[in-house]
């Protein structure tokens, strides 16, 4: 009777560990993210010439979020880095490379130095290359950022389940 009891006890302990381990594996990268700080890289001369502004980026990225979802904050462990690099050619055409990345600031142990360090972890990323005439470029980038923001919202919602 004793060996069977020990076997059942061991099997139960292993089952609990497997269950606990699998639940943490099921958690997505965006689980628990409630607020983010927005960081917009400098737009530069060409970005401004093509009608791009930080306010447009903020509104486009977060316009699809509802009350109680991710919100903008001035202080957060998570930050959404938005970089839009724009060039103008033939004086009438704008081309912008858009990159939006969600990072988490975290602490980790470095065994080589045997010390704790701080670093960033990339949780999510989207982007693309967009081209249009100057007159419609702001609308095109606004639309692209809106789609990227909706993609972030969908990924976030999936990870909250």
């Amino acid at each position: 009777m004793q060996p069977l009891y020990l076997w059942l006890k061991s099997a139960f302990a292993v089952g609990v560990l497997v269950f606990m381990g699998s639940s943490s594996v099921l958690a997505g990268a965006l689980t628990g993210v409630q607020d983010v700080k927005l960081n917009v890289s400098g737009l530069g001369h060409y970005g401004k010439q093509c009608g791009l502004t930080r306010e447009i980026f903020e509104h486009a990225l977060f316009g699809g979020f509802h009350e109680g979802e991710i919100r903008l904050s001035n202080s957060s462990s998570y930050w959404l880095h938005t970089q839009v690099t724009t060039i103008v050619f033939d004086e009438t055409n704008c081309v912008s490379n858009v990159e939006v990345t969600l990072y988490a600031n975290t602490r980790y142990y470095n065994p080589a130095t045997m010390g704790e360090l701080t670093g960033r972890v990339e949780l999510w990323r989207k982007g693309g290359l967009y081209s249009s005439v100057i007159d419609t470029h702001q609308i095109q980038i606004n639309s692209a950022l809106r789609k990227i923001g909706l993609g972030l919202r969908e990924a976030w919602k999936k990870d909250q389940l």
Side-chain angles (χ1 to χ4, degrees), residues 32-48:
V33 175
Q34 296 176 347
D35 53 42
V36 297
K37 182 176 181 177
L38 181 62
N39 177 26
V40 177
S41 288
L43 295 173
H45 172 73
Y46 293 126
K48 292 175 185 171

Side-chain angles (χ1 to χ4, degrees), residues 70-145:
I70 293 179
R71 64 186 177 278
L72 280 175
S73 172
N74 290 330
S75 176
S76 177
S77 295
Y78 302 98
W79 48 284
L80 193 63
H81 180 74
T82 303
Q83 182 171 348
V84 179
T85 306
T86 304
I87 61 168
V88 175
F89 67 95
D90 290 339
E91 298 181 16
T92 59
N93 297 300
C94 298
V95 177
S96 291
N97 181 53
V98 177
E99 294 179 25
V100 179
T101 309
L102 179 63
Y103 292 104
N105 291 327
T106 188
R107 294 183 309 203
Y108 63 95
Y109 177 77
N110 184 342
T113 61
M114 297 176 59
E116 189 174 274
L117 298 171
T118 303
R120 66 181 184 185
V121 176
E122 183 179 305
L123 303 178
W124 182 88
R125 174 188 289 258
K126 290 286 181 209
L129 187 63
Y130 305 92
S131 175
S132 62
V133 295
I134 285 179
D135 296 343
T136 61
H137 199 65
Q138 177 187 22
I139 296 167
Q140 184 185 37
I141 297 302
N142 185 44
S143 176
L145 288 171

